[in-house]
Amino acid sequence: MKTIDFSLEKKKFGKHVRKLRRRLKSIDYPNRSISQQELTDKTSNLSKKTLGEIERGETNAQFESLLVLAQILEVSFSELMNYN
């Protein structure tokens, strides 16, 4: 059985989340991607700190956070999880 490098997987997932976030345009600055703060302002269920930790691969995101993240990133849950 192959060993899973959880640290590497969290970093790859975080990079994917950052890429998805950067596809969204800022309302305040139309020529820029949406910021972490602007994105998390859309919900009370996810903080900027948590989003930053997810994007840097520093935390294990809770299932509820993943569901909220998919919703505010405007992607399906399967697209969010398809980070490889």
Side-chain angles (χ1 to χ4, degrees):
M1 183 174 197
K2 185 179 174 185
T3 303
I4 299 171
D5 183 343
F6 291 106
S7 179
L8 176 64
E9 294 301 316
K10 287 190 291 187
K11 287 182 190 308
K12 287 176 14 183
F13 179 71
K15 187 176 180 180
H16 176 64
V17 169
R18 188 177 311 114
K19 183 176 129 186
L20 291 172
R21 177 176 58 83
R22 289 182 175 163
R23 290 190 327 186
L24 298 175
K25 295 299 175 197
S26 171
I27 293 170
D28 298 330
Y29 305 97
N31 295 329
R32 293 186 188 173
S33 306
I34 196 168
S35 67
Q36 290 177 342
Q37 184 65 57
E38 193 176 353
L39 187 67
T40 56
D41 283 348
K42 292 182 171 190
T43 182
S44 62
N45 299 17
L46 190 66
S47 70
K48 180 181 178 256
K49 178 181 181 275
T50 300
L51 178 58
E53 289 172 345
I54 291 169
E55 286 189 0
R56 291 187 302 275
E58 297 175 349
T59 188
N60 288 320
Q62 293 182 340
F63 183 71
E64 291 86 354
S65 296
L66 294 174
L67 292 174
V68 168
L69 195 54
Q71 183 179 37
I72 62 176
L73 288 171
E74 301 172 11
V75 297
S76 67
F77 186 75
S78 61
E79 184 176 353
L80 176 67
M81 299 310 295
N82 188 17
Y83 64 93
N84 283 323

